[in-house]
Amino acid sequence: MAKVQPRTLSGFMELLPPRQIQFDRMMEIIRRSFSLYGFTPLDTPLIEASEVLLAKGGGETEKQIYRFTKGDSDLSLRFDLTVPLAKYVSLNYAKLAFPFRRFQIGKVYRGERAQRGRFREFYQADIDVIGDGQLDISNDAEIPAIIYRTFTSLGLNRFQIRVNNRKVLNGFYAMLGLTAQAGAIMRTVDKLEKIGEKSVRELLTAPDIGLTDEQAAEILKFIAIKGRNAGVLAALEGYRGRDPKFDEGLDELSAVAKNLTAFGVPETHFVLDLTIARGLDYYTGTVYETAMLDHPEIGSICSGGRYDNLAEYYTDKQLPGVGISIGLTRLFFVLEDQGYLNDDLNTAPADVLILPMTGDMGPAIQLATYLRDRSLQVQIYGEQKKFKQKMSYADKLGVPYVVLLGEDEIKQGKYALKDMRSGEQKLLATEEVFREISTHAGAGGGAKPILDKGE
Amino acid sequence: MAKVQPRTLSGFMELLPPRQIQFDRMMEIIRRSFSLYGFTPLDTPLIEASEVLLAKGGGETEKQIYRFTKGDSDLSLRFDLTVPLAKYVSLNYAKLAFPFRRFQIGKVYRGERAQRGRFREFYQADIDVIGDGQLDISNDAEIPAIIYRTFTSLGLNRFQIRVNNRKVLNGFYAMLGLTAQAGAIMRTVDKLEKIGEKSVRELLTAPDIGLTDEQAAEILKFIAIKGRNAGVLAALEGYRGRDPKFDEGLDELSAVAKNLTAFGVPETHFVLDLTIARGLDYYTGTVYETAMLDHPEIGSICSGGRYDNLAEYYTDKQLPGVGISIGLTRLFFVLEDQGYLNDDLNTAPADVLILPMTGDMGPAIQLATYLRDRSLQVQIYGEQKKFKQKMSYADKLGVPYVVLLGEDEIKQGKYALKDMRSGEQKLLATEEVFREISTHAGAGGGAKPILDKGE
């Protein structure tokens, strides 16, 4: 028969079993972490009517969208989880309780240029809190706490959540009479880390933006405000009273910073950073980015912010919200690439492999059923192979335990349990097998999927 | 601003939060149940190259496929999880340990005619065991045990796994010299329950198939073999020695039935049924169907079988396998439709809602952090609303507990914990709040998502 060459499309992540188990464990930890904060899971379709999905229209994203027709329907694959959320909330408005807190972990699609570490199909893990008409600032304060718990639960330590407020920025530019140029200025200032202060100053005073030297100096002085959060807030207080938007933003930023300790987030992992701007036409208040401290080149691994109106394309209801998103597939790629994945994690599909040595499968099945009833993962190896091949299979799977079940053992009603790490072998009764495995096999399973050598 | 009418495509299931939580709990139980048997999770892309996905080509399915181009790529959405598995195993053959046991729970796409209870996007939950060259029959015996555990763990009781073997059927038809007509006969016999014995006899003897009255009688006598499994096997033994394929099939069927008790599957839930044929050109040995006893009209809710060669379109390797698939979205629809979903399941997004009654969020955050550190799901209600509105929000979410946190409580360092079911309110210290909630809130969370009134 003529064969078709099997392949997986480029830009689509497909993992081997041990890595898949690590990925799934990360997803599970994220899911559990989000759930602790009272978010409800959603699962919206991958496909939406193009008219609905692209209601906002235009923009860079549209070119990347997977769009096609089926019958006479014009369909598109979702490119993020925010537009489906806007649709869902508009559609089910009367049936939801507000604030509506939802998380969604799902695949999204963007036809990006193929390139190492860029994915066309990738998981996003999003949380959003949507208010009906209004939404208290305390929600903005909780988001960094959720991300802090999520990342530390995964085993990541050397990261920093950076927070700013768009009203502070816009208010500041209004003070200088530069509201019209604010967008261009922020895009330029955003390059500070990459191109340095001198180049930023040149761009700001070049004809395109056209600031005076004094204005450029004011801006550079402002964004140079750094240090501990209390110091940053104090410096910002010096600008109070000159623009109402600025004052409002400063109040919000202070409120977000205030309760961090109560939320259990140390200041090492949360900084006020006036250079963060993000999504210029979408976010309206608090904005978040998250950096890996030892890999700034990777950019933000988790970003989001406050928006005034989630669903203006679908409904007249004013639905303000705040949310954040982890680009999970890219994060996993980066973690593997940088050696952050914990290879001590038990990624075997079973806690124990039972090797029957006689033709009678009965005793093997009885033991397996006993252990499974007690939540252990058990595989019976039923193939007629030589002992060496059976053991080599156990090695290949990486199972922590093997049970050998020959005639002697069956006669005695016992099991030979071999610890594959130590090589030690013991003759045990059923309950002892359970006790031994459940005490020790869990050790790897409970480990964190990320091993961050930093503190 | 002009609005776009938000909508979800027909044939795409999108659930409200309480139902979504029930659906997710079902998925989680299925995932855990599959894992107990040493299956490793896979997650393949939703999109594949059309050339790869449609290597087998033709057939009814092809018309239903979502196929489109992006750039110069001809792409298709997966329509099952078996073809992606065949691709995966061929592609990663050298890196996998055989038998390769994988489960996958994921969405697949078929552009079926829109119709109540038919879905174009739906979850399948599949397990397969793939051998390299050969695969022991004991794997076929384990599949019904996995399905039995899975369904009973979900809370479903009144179901029956029906098992047959294609070799027994093919061997039987060979005995009668009817191998050429076997396909047509089996398709006809398959209608027995629907159209009755008389109509089946008429169809068998009509010119299209053209059997003699004696042949038709032989066939009807054969498929009428029913009753307890030991009796069915004994009746089949009466045909032994007349066709080697039949004898092989009978040995396999006996082996599958033999270890059921050890696997913990009662005979009420597992029957040998000679009328089951399934996927005429794909399955080659054991075949499975699963019926809901009180709703035979629904058809099989979980089906599968043994196949000789998983990946012949991709590789020369002989890869026999056995697997089974739950059509999860349709099953969920049917369960809801027939009133099987357990509405006592706690589907609130949080175990407790904390209502701060003063401007100071600190104590609320401290309590929330303490409880979350101990794995309770906690939401803080931070909106500035009247007490009545706060309580109405708690009712709407359906949270089992509310903490009221006013000045008095803060002064005493205590919390007023209200049990929303009994209405009872207690003034408690932090640890007492935790103990009270963790003892009682879990009750609903631990319940089974399906409530099957049958035994």
Side-chain angles (χ1 to χ4, degrees):
Chain A
M1 177 181 281
K3 306 294 173 201
V4 171
Q5 181 62 38
R7 65 192 169 93
T8 299
L9 292 165
S10 87
F12 289 69
M13 181 182 273
E14 191 173 67
L15 301 168
L16 285 169
R19 286 290 182 234
Q20 185 67 55
I21 285 178
Q22 278 182 312
F23 189 89
D24 285 8
R25 198 148 310 160
M26 279 183 62
M27 279 215 286
E28 179 51 30
I29 290 171
I30 293 171
R31 194 179 293 125
R32 225 183 312 141
S33 173
F34 289 172
S35 298
L36 290 181
Y37 292 80
F39 289 81
T40 199
L42 278 197
D43 181 6
T44 64
L46 271 292
I47 307 178
E48 301 274 2
S50 297
E51 174 203 32
V52 173
L53 201 68
L54 307 176
K56 192 177 176 176
E60 258 308 290
T61 342
E62 190 148 352
K63 273 180 284 176
Q64 300 183 348
I65 285 167
Y66 287 85
R67 182 175 181 170
F68 54 93
T69 54
K70 176 81 184 162
D72 48 11
S73 303
D74 178 359
L75 306 173
S76 291
L77 300 186
R78 66 184 181 203
F79 54 89
D80 71 8
L81 301 176
T82 307
V83 178
L85 172 65
K87 181 212 73 173
Y88 183 91
V89 172
S90 313
L91 200 53
N92 300 299
Y93 173 81
K95 294 170 190 151
L96 301 176
F98 292 92
F100 177 58
R101 298 160 80 90
R102 86 86 178 79
F103 76 89
Q104 184 163 2
I105 303 176
K107 287 177 171 177
V108 304
Y109 295 83
R110 293 187 196 171
E112 303 228 29
R113 252 186 321 135
Q115 175 180 354
R116 186 166 186 281
R118 285 273 159 204
F119 295 93
R120 290 171 173 169
E121 175 184 73
F122 56 96
Y123 276 97
Q124 285 195 333
D126 281 24
I127 43 172
D128 285 271
V129 185
I130 312 298
D132 183 12
Q134 57 197 50
L135 183 69
D136 196 79
I137 188 68
S138 60
N139 293 287
D140 301 44
E142 201 175 38
I143 299 275
I146 302 170
I147 295 306
Y148 175 75
R149 183 189 295 270
T150 303
F151 281 148
T152 51
S153 301
L154 290 171
L156 199 63
N157 300 320
R158 298 268 302 149
F159 67 92
Q160 195 172 58
I161 305 166
R162 294 170 179 171
V163 180
N164 196 5
N165 190 299
R166 291 294 310 274
K167 290 175 192 166
V168 166
L169 292 183
N170 291 336
F172 171 73
Y173 292 114
M175 286 177 209
L176 301 183
L178 293 172
T179 296
Q181 297 98 312
I185 295 171
M186 284 191 254
R187 272 189 294 273
T188 307
V189 160
D190 204 33
K191 297 175 189 156
L192 189 67
E193 253 184 57
K194 271 189 211 144
I195 65 175
E197 185 181 311
K198 188 159 165 286
S199 303
V200 166
R201 187 186 302 268
E202 280 165 14
L203 285 171
L204 290 178
T205 52
D208 262 8
I209 304 183
L211 302 193
T212 65
D213 286 347
E214 292 70 33
Q215 286 171 324
E218 275 267 35
I219 290 165
L220 286 166
K221 183 183 147 208
F222 179 77
I223 61 164
I225 297 174
K226 281 200 165 64
R228 304 201 52 156
N229 295 335
V232 170
L233 289 172
L236 289 177
E237 287 295 339
Y239 293 86
R240 192 183 280 280
R242 290 166 61 187
D243 181 87
K245 212 64 185 167
F246 179 92
D247 294 356
E248 198 183 313
L250 180 52
D251 288 342
E252 292 180 4
L253 205 52
S254 304
V256 169
K258 186 186 162 199
N259 287 311
L260 279 178
T261 314
F263 269 126
V265 185
E267 227 183 278
T268 44
H269 287 70
F270 176 93
V271 295
L272 301 179
D273 182 336
L274 300 180
T275 67
I276 306 291
R278 288 215 78 74
L280 293 176
D281 52 351
Y282 187 58
Y283 294 116
T284 50
T286 311
V287 283
Y288 314 100
E289 287 191 356
T290 312
M292 285 180 71
L293 289 174
D294 300 322
H295 295 283
E297 75 281 5
I298 285 160
S300 176
I301 54 171
C302 177
S303 316
R306 158 76 74 143
Y307 38 90
D308 274 346
N309 209 347
L310 173 72
E312 56 180 333
Y313 301 98
Y314 306 128
T315 173
D316 283 324
K317 305 273 178 208
Q318 178 82 14
L319 301 169
V322 61
I324 201 161
S325 175
I326 305 172
L328 199 52
T329 301
R330 180 167 152 70
L331 177 62
F332 189 80
F333 172 85
V334 163
L335 291 170
E336 180 174 32
D337 204 43
Q338 302 290 340
Y340 275 79
L341 294 183
N342 180 6
D343 285 318
D344 288 341
L345 194 76
N346 176 12
T347 55
D351 300 312
V352 57
L353 180 72
I354 302 179
L355 303 182
M357 300 298 180
T358 72
D360 182 8
M361 297 287 283
I365 295 172
Q366 272 162 27
L367 176 65
T369 305
Y370 178 90
L371 298 175
R372 287 167 181 156
D373 286 345
R374 284 151 189 81
S375 297
L376 287 187
Q377 298 181 202
V378 183
Q379 181 176 344
I380 303 171
Y381 186 86
E383 309 308 303
Q384 314 295 323
K385 299 264 173 165
K386 298 205 176 97
F387 179 71
K388 210 180 139 186
Q389 288 170 296
K390 292 180 178 177
M391 288 306 287
S392 139
Y393 181 72
D395 279 334
K396 222 169 164 184
L397 287 188
V399 287
Y401 287 95
V402 162
V403 163
L404 306 168
L405 197 40
E407 275 182 41
D408 281 1
E409 286 85 12
I410 294 177
K411 242 180 260 164
Q412 296 179 67
K414 296 219 166 181
Y415 305 94
L417 181 72
K418 189 180 171 86
D419 182 328
M420 296 294 280
R421 291 159 295 195
S422 69
E424 199 188 350
Q425 191 170 316
K426 294 178 189 171
L427 195 67
L428 301 174
T430 313
E431 319 77 61
E432 293 168 329
V433 171
F434 168 68
R435 216 172 310 132
E436 182 76 17
I437 298 174
S438 59
T439 313
H440 297 105
K448 291 179 178 180
I450 299 176
L451 193 63
D452 189 348
K453 285 137 201 152
E455 282 165 57
Chain B
M1 178 181 279
K3 307 294 173 199
V4 171
Q5 181 62 37
R7 65 192 169 95
T8 299
L9 292 165
S10 87
F12 288 70
M13 182 180 272
E14 190 172 69
L15 300 168
L16 285 170
R19 285 290 182 235
Q20 185 66 57
I21 285 178
Q22 278 182 311
F23 189 89
D24 285 8
R25 198 148 310 158
M26 279 183 62
M27 280 216 286
E28 178 53 29
I29 289 171
I30 292 171
R31 193 179 295 125
R32 225 184 312 141
S33 174
F34 289 172
S35 298
L36 289 181
Y37 292 80
F39 289 81
T40 197
L42 277 197
D43 181 8
T44 64
L46 272 290
I47 308 178
E48 301 275 2
S50 297
E51 173 202 35
V52 173
L53 201 68
L54 308 176
K56 191 178 177 177
E60 258 308 289
T61 342
E62 189 148 353
K63 273 179 284 174
Q64 299 182 349
I65 285 167
Y66 287 85
R67 181 174 182 171
F68 53 92
T69 53
K70 176 79 184 165
D72 48 10
S73 303
D74 178 359
L75 306 172
S76 291
L77 300 187
R78 66 184 182 205
F79 54 90
D80 71 8
L81 301 175
T82 307
V83 178
L85 172 65
K87 182 212 72 175
Y88 183 92
V89 173
S90 313
L91 198 55
N92 300 299
Y93 173 81
K95 294 171 189 150
L96 302 176
F98 292 92
F100 176 59
R101 297 161 81 90
R102 84 88 177 77
F103 76 90
Q104 184 162 5
I105 303 176
K107 288 177 171 177
V108 305
Y109 295 83
R110 293 187 197 171
E112 303 228 30
R113 250 185 325 133
Q115 179 180 351
R116 188 167 184 280
R118 285 272 159 206
F119 295 93
R120 290 171 172 169
E121 174 184 75
F122 56 96
Y123 275 97
Q124 284 196 334
D126 281 24
I127 44 173
D128 285 271
V129 185
I130 311 299
D132 183 11
Q134 57 196 51
L135 183 69
D136 196 79
I137 188 69
S138 59
N139 293 287
D140 302 45
E142 200 173 38
I143 300 274
I146 302 170
I147 294 306
Y148 176 75
R149 183 189 294 272
T150 303
F151 281 148
T152 51
S153 301
L154 290 171
L156 198 63
N157 300 320
R158 298 268 303 147
F159 66 93
Q160 194 172 57
I161 305 166
R162 295 171 177 170
V163 180
N164 195 6
N165 190 298
R166 290 295 310 274
K167 290 174 193 166
V168 166
L169 292 184
N170 291 337
F172 171 73
Y173 291 114
M175 285 177 210
L176 301 185
L178 293 173
T179 296
Q181 297 98 310
I185 296 171
M186 283 191 255
R187 269 187 297 271
T188 307
V189 160
D190 204 34
K191 296 176 190 154
L192 190 66
E193 252 185 57
K194 271 189 211 141
I195 63 175
E197 187 180 311
K198 186 159 167 286
S199 302
V200 166
R201 188 187 302 269
E202 280 165 16
L203 284 171
L204 290 177
T205 52
D208 262 9
I209 304 183
L211 302 193
T212 65
D213 287 346
E214 291 69 33
Q215 286 172 324
E218 275 268 34
I219 290 166
L220 286 166
K221 182 185 147 207
F222 180 77
I223 61 166
I225 297 174
K226 282 200 165 62
R228 300 202 54 154
N229 295 335
V232 171
L233 290 172
L236 290 177
E237 286 296 339
Y239 293 85
R240 191 183 282 279
R242 292 167 60 186
D243 181 87
K245 212 64 183 166
F246 179 92
D247 295 355
E248 198 183 314
L250 180 52
D251 289 342
E252 291 180 3
L253 205 52
S254 305
V256 169
K258 185 184 162 201
N259 288 310
L260 278 178
T261 313
F263 269 125
V265 185
E267 226 183 277
T268 44
H269 287 71
F270 176 93
V271 295
L272 302 179
D273 182 336
L274 300 180
T275 66
I276 305 290
R278 290 217 76 77
L280 294 177
D281 52 350
Y282 187 58
Y283 295 116
T284 50
T286 312
V287 282
Y288 314 100
E289 287 191 357
T290 312
M292 283 179 73
L293 289 174
D294 300 322
H295 296 282
E297 75 281 5
I298 284 159
S300 176
I301 55 171
C302 176
S303 315
R306 159 77 74 145
Y307 37 89
D308 274 345
N309 210 346
L310 173 72
E312 57 181 332
Y313 301 97
Y314 305 128
T315 174
D316 283 324
K317 304 273 176 206
Q318 178 83 15
L319 300 169
V322 61
I324 202 163
S325 175
I326 306 172
L328 198 52
T329 300
R330 180 166 153 72
L331 178 61
F332 190 79
F333 172 84
V334 163
L335 291 171
E336 180 174 30
D337 204 40
Q338 301 291 342
Y340 276 79
L341 294 184
N342 180 6
D343 285 317
D344 288 340
L345 194 76
N346 176 12
T347 55
D351 300 311
V352 57
L353 179 72
I354 302 179
L355 303 183
M357 301 297 182
T358 71
D360 182 9
M361 296 286 284
I365 296 172
Q366 272 163 27
L367 175 66
T369 304
Y370 178 90
L371 297 176
R372 286 165 181 156
D373 286 346
R374 283 151 189 82
S375 296
L376 287 188
Q377 298 181 203
V378 184
Q379 181 177 344
I380 304 171
Y381 186 84
E383 309 308 301
Q384 315 296 320
K385 299 264 173 166
K386 296 203 178 97
F387 179 70
K388 211 181 137 185
Q389 287 172 297
K390 291 179 179 176
M391 289 306 287
S392 141
Y393 181 72
D395 279 334
K396 221 168 163 183
L397 285 187
V399 287
Y401 287 95
V402 162
V403 163
L404 306 168
L405 197 42
E407 275 184 40
D408 280 2
E409 286 84 11
I410 294 177
K411 241 181 258 163
Q412 296 178 65
K414 298 221 165 178
Y415 305 94
L417 181 72
K418 188 182 173 83
D419 182 328
M420 295 295 280
R421 290 160 294 195
S422 68
E424 199 189 352
Q425 191 169 316
K426 294 178 188 169
L427 195 67
L428 301 174
T430 312
E431 318 78 60
E432 294 168 327
V433 171
F434 167 68
R435 217 172 309 132
E436 181 78 17
I437 298 174
S438 58
T439 312
H440 297 107
K448 292 178 177 179
I450 298 176
L451 193 65
D452 190 348
K453 284 138 204 152
E455 281 165 61

